[in-house]
Amino acid sequence: MIESTDDGKTQPSVGDVNCHLICTVCKGYLVDATTITECLHSFCRSCVVPHVAEFHQCPSCSVPLSTTKPFSQLRRDYTLQSIVYKMVPRLARNELDRRKQFRQERFAGASKMNNFVEDSKAEECYLQSFFAPNDPISINCEFGLRANLGKDDLSESGSQQQQHRRFFRCPADLPIGHLVKFLRNKFNVTDPATHKLEILYNGRPLAPEYKLSDVAYIFSWKEREPLRLWYRISPTIK
Ligand SMILES: [Zn+2]
Ligand SMILES: [Zn+2]
């Protein structure tokens, strides 16, 4: 417990609990703390997600995680994060300021954006994005034929393909699976027995349990432009 008690015990200093508030991957204070349910080690979500996606194990103790659904063993740790923010209020304030400032500039117009893109090092720090569950992520979802991602049974003209480009603004916590469901309904291919609908980033199919923020973390997406996803629909091979 970190609250002071009736017998006059005071709060522990940051130093006392520091090691529990630090992410062992980036050595910084935890941001968007995420705990591996197998071993209870905690990391920043942006640190643990790319590691787990690639190695299917804990970055600290290497406990093996499911190779098919490693993300099912990650839990957002709101309690731990609130402790970090309580103990290191400056961190919470910085993070909120950073987001506010970034979003103001993001929507202030392209010219301002271009000036600021010139200093690439500052940009990298500035744009290192962390997402709270309800932070909006803009996505641009395009039909897969344009990227030559695979042969489809749907052959269409350019203008028809254009119609298949969709812009969304979704909460960072939205699972890819929900997007799949939405597109299945939209294009009337709701039956997985007849059609496969995949969502891809840079040609890589995304697991339905990935959240948009996970995709951003895994592929180091910066908020400069909408997250560009592709979808492809193919008949299910019997
Ligand atoms: Zn970290
Ligand atoms: Zn571990």
Side-chain angles (χ1 to χ4, degrees), residues 23 25-26 44 47:
C23 166
V25 174
C26 68
C44 312
C47 289

Side-chain angles (χ1 to χ4, degrees), residues 14 18 21 29 83-93:
V14 172
N18 217 7
L21 310 180
Y29 286 109
I83 292 171
V84 173
Y85 282 155
K86 259 183 203 147
M87 299 301 285
V88 198
R90 149 182 74 77
L91 186 70
R93 218 170 28 241

Side-chain angles (χ1 to χ4, degrees), residues 34 36 43 45 47-59 63 65-67 69-74 204 210 218:
T34 298
I36 295 179
F43 311 90
R45 191 164 185 92
C47 289
V48 72
V49 157
H51 186 95
V52 164
E54 190 173 354
F55 302 109
H56 308 122
Q57 62 179 29
C58 169
V63 65
L65 304 176
S66 158
T67 48
K69 290 193 166 184
F71 283 53
S72 64
Q73 289 155 303
L74 299 182
R204 244 179 87 173
Y210 283 8
I218 292 171

Side-chain angles (χ1 to χ4, degrees), residues 153 184 188-196 234-238:
D153 61 330
R184 277 189 177 282
N188 202 20
V189 285
T190 49
D191 188 359
T194 60
H195 285 89
K196 189 171 158 185
S234 49
T236 306
I237 299 152
K238 292 268 158 68

Side-chain angles (χ1 to χ4, degrees), residues 113-133:
M113 203 62 192
N114 286 341
N115 292 339
F116 136 84
V117 161
E118 277 166 20
D119 184 350
S120 66
K121 189 154 180 266
E123 177 206 15
E124 286 308 305
C125 299
Y126 197 52
L127 288 177
Q128 174 55 57
S129 301
F130 298 105
F131 300 96

Side-chain angles (χ1 to χ4, degrees), residues 39 41 58 60-61 63:
C39 59
H41 283 126
C58 169
S60 271
C61 67
V63 65

